[in-house]
Amino acid sequence: MSTPGATDTAARLTGLVRALRGHGLRIGPAETVDAAAVLDVLGFADREQMRAGLAAALLRSDGQRAVFDATFDLFFPLGVGTPEALRTPEARHGTDPSAEPAPQTAEPPRFGRPDPLRDRLRERLAAALAADDRAAQARLAGEVIEAFGRYGTGSTPGSDGWSAHQALGRLAPETLLARILAGLRDQGPDGHADRDLADRVLADEIRRRIRDFRALVSAEARRRVAELRGAERIAERAVAPTVDRIDFLAAGRDQLAELRRTVHPLARKLATRLAARRRRAARGRIDLRRTLRRSLGTGGVPLRPAYRLRRPARPELVLLCDVSGSVAGFADFTMLLVQAMGEQFSKVRVFAFVNRTAEVTDLLRRGEGDPARLAARIVAEARVTGYHGNSDYGSALGEFADHHLAAVGPRTCVLVLGDARNNHRDPHPEALRRIASRARRVIWLNPERPALWTTGDSAAPTYADVVEMHSCRNARRLGELIARLLPV
């Protein structure tokens, strides 16, 4: 990496900090000054050492490292433009003049057409993955983007760029697994006592290497696009958010699994906040009459305020969760979080619905050892669907009000979880009013953004007229709402 000037260094560092703040990382002036001191001490000779030093100065948890690494690569790239090694005719045609000719592959060409460049790159990638040669993989990432990643003609401003998806789709590195595995198996000792287990372990290792190579290709594409359109713009749009900012409705299977791993740390943090609120609330309000009486001994100056002491009891909590497919991930995470926070409430009862309502408190307790796909298990084992499988909030709220209203009392806070997508059926707001009339507080958490509440089959405006409704799109927002809104 070339050494930037002082002005350029300051611009890169402040740009990095702004981009990280945009992803929700809390970085203040003190951390920024520390990062500048790190750059002054470490210099630019060792890029990975500089990366580690800036991470130590700017980050507060390991969960922020993935966002930091991707953003760091944009503001402090390994190089600029096309690498020098790719500017030679040999490199542009996918050959290495110092290497021996690659053996011909017996694999049929993709799409039925010969593609010598692709075949040569795949041969070299297979060798680099088998040897776990990180330097060779990094060089190949640049060559793959150079060969297959460019799109557009350059005739229209902003229409050209670099695509990791396009390049990886052309190269298809996942299809090299069997070839690499066979080659490594042939190199190993024969007669292994547990060959099947060894093959599974080795296959998992090769898959990990392929994932790492895909990440290298993605990083190279982001670097080149950042040169075209600006690092801050690409950091905002192309860097994956931290796990607590992943949108519940857009999260994939792996992201939801990562979210579940954050349940207990988040529960501990929220429990601490609720306990602090409970301690503050225990003091009560100032008793004006007793305070004035005390002030008579100090010339009318109220030096010792008197309070109406409160003895707040821990509230009861009722969860009413839509577990249909559209919001299942949101319901999964919230139920697990509330379960982990059970000690903060005197009683917790959980009801689930699609178009019928059933209590699933015991099912949630029995499922402590296997939190994955909790909503799917509830749908399979509890009677939450009737004559169809689509969400019907009106019927579900009506059934709760008719058969389960005894679960709600003057100390009960009711959390309704769902997107209020009612499939154009009767929303039955009277049932929600009956629930609200008995509860201490009813809070509706909607995983959709407010701009969508008035679109399509959403009944959100109808329910928002009855109870308070809050947008809750990710784990960070969920934690903020629970800590701020739940009664103590």
Side-chain angles (χ1 to χ4, degrees):
M1 185 178 71
S2 59
T3 303
T7 303
D8 189 35
T9 300
R12 288 177 184 272
L13 179 58
T14 54
L16 173 65
V17 170
R18 280 196 301 269
L20 293 175
R21 286 174 177 168
H23 280 277
L25 277 65
R26 296 179 179 177
I27 302 175
E31 289 84 0
T32 307
V33 171
D34 290 343
V38 165
L39 287 179
D40 186 48
V41 171
L42 297 181
F44 298 86
D46 188 330
R47 182 170 178 265
E48 291 308 311
Q49 188 181 55
M50 180 178 68
R51 181 199 299 268
L54 289 178
L58 297 175
L59 304 186
R60 300 188 181 188
S61 69
D62 291 339
Q64 301 170 342
R65 186 58 189 264
V67 170
F68 171 83
D69 284 339
T71 310
F72 174 87
D73 289 338
L74 295 176
F75 289 90
F76 294 91
L78 187 60
V80 177
T82 302
E84 187 67 30
L86 300 182
R87 295 174 185 168
T88 64
E90 294 84 357
R92 285 197 300 269
H93 290 82
T95 60
D96 184 351
S98 63
E100 296 183 2
Q104 293 296 321
T105 176
E107 180 182 346
R110 201 176 189 194
F111 307 126
R113 294 195 301 268
D115 193 342
L117 174 56
R118 173 178 173 270
D119 291 343
R120 285 193 292 268
L121 287 173
R122 282 170 58 83
E123 289 288 349
R124 293 172 57 199
L125 177 59
L129 291 172
D132 199 17
D133 187 341
R134 304 299 179 87
Q137 292 173 34
R139 290 193 299 270
L140 279 166
E143 294 184 36
V144 168
I145 287 295
E146 183 71 18
F148 304 133
R150 183 186 290 274
Y151 64 86
T153 61
S155 58
T156 304
S159 65
D160 55 351
W162 304 91
S163 169
H165 178 76
Q166 175 179 298
L168 290 168
R170 181 80 174 273
L171 191 67
E174 292 82 2
T175 61
L176 295 172
L177 175 63
R179 181 195 302 183
I180 299 171
L181 189 59
L184 292 177
R185 187 188 298 120
D186 293 341
Q187 297 173 11
D190 295 332
H192 197 284
D194 196 352
R195 173 55 62 86
D196 290 340
L197 177 59
D199 284 352
R200 288 197 295 270
V201 172
L202 186 57
D204 289 341
E205 172 63 17
I206 299 303
R207 291 190 185 96
R208 182 194 63 77
R209 296 178 190 179
I210 291 174
R211 287 196 300 269
D212 291 346
F213 175 74
R214 292 179 65 92
L216 289 173
V217 174
S218 298
E220 176 67 12
R222 282 197 302 268
R223 179 188 70 80
R224 296 194 183 201
V225 175
E227 291 180 10
L228 293 174
R229 301 177 186 172
E232 293 197 29
R233 181 180 179 187
I234 301 306
E236 177 185 355
R237 300 187 179 188
V239 174
T242 54
V243 63
D244 62 338
R245 293 171 67 90
I246 294 174
D247 196 320
F248 286 122
L249 299 185
R253 182 187 304 173
D254 293 341
Q255 291 174 318
L256 286 174
E258 191 175 359
L259 265 175
R260 293 187 192 99
R261 288 192 288 271
T262 69
V263 163
H264 289 285
L266 179 58
R268 288 194 297 270
K269 182 185 297 184
L270 293 179
T272 301
R273 292 179 182 176
L274 289 177
R277 283 183 57 200
R278 192 173 290 117
R279 287 194 299 270
R280 291 194 297 269
R283 296 186 62 185
R285 297 181 179 180
I286 290 181
D287 187 329
L288 185 59
R289 190 173 188 177
R290 290 172 57 208
T291 300
L292 291 176
R293 183 175 295 174
R294 283 183 180 181
S295 69
L296 294 177
T298 56
V301 180
L303 296 180
R304 294 186 302 120
Y307 295 90
R308 294 190 181 98
L309 296 181
R310 293 181 55 199
R311 293 176 177 82
R314 296 186 179 188
E316 299 176 0
L317 184 65
V318 168
L319 254 65
L320 191 54
C321 312
D322 180 3
V323 292
S324 61
S326 60
V327 291
F330 172 48
D332 265 2
F333 182 82
T334 308
M335 285 189 286
L336 291 172
L337 178 63
V338 169
Q339 182 189 31
M341 295 176 58
E343 294 182 356
Q344 299 303 310
F345 309 99
S346 61
K347 183 186 296 185
V348 177
R349 297 181 68 177
V350 182
F351 297 83
F353 68 88
V354 175
N355 48 60
R356 296 191 61 182
T357 302
E359 184 168 5
V360 296
T361 307
D362 291 339
L363 181 60
L364 182 64
R365 192 177 297 118
R366 293 197 307 270
E368 288 180 354
D370 180 22
R373 297 181 57 79
L374 175 61
R377 293 205 320 275
I378 290 174
V379 171
E381 301 180 30
R383 298 183 63 184
V384 294
T385 58
Y387 57 89
H388 59 83
N390 298 324
S391 297
D392 186 343
Y393 282 77
S395 295
L397 292 171
E399 185 170 356
F400 181 87
D402 291 339
H403 302 289
H404 304 288
L405 201 56
V408 180
R411 291 173 50 196
T412 305
C413 178
V414 179
L415 279 183
V416 184
L417 313 177
D419 58 6
R421 294 281 168 184
N422 202 40
N423 291 289
H424 302 288
R425 294 181 170 87
D426 181 9
H428 199 7
E430 295 78 11
L432 187 60
R433 288 193 182 93
R434 290 176 60 191
I435 298 170
S437 66
R438 287 178 59 94
R440 178 178 180 181
R441 191 171 189 180
V442 179
I443 303 168
W444 192 304
L445 303 183
N446 191 327
E448 289 189 336
R449 62 179 185 270
L452 298 178
W453 292 358
T454 57
T455 63
D457 60 348
S458 176
T462 301
Y463 295 131
D465 288 339
V466 180
V467 300
E468 54 183 308
M469 182 176 291
H470 299 270
S471 178
C472 182
R473 299 177 57 192
N474 53 53
R476 171 173 292 192
R477 177 63 172 164
L478 176 62
E480 292 172 352
L481 290 173
I482 287 178
R484 179 167 59 90
L485 298 178
L486 286 188
V488 295

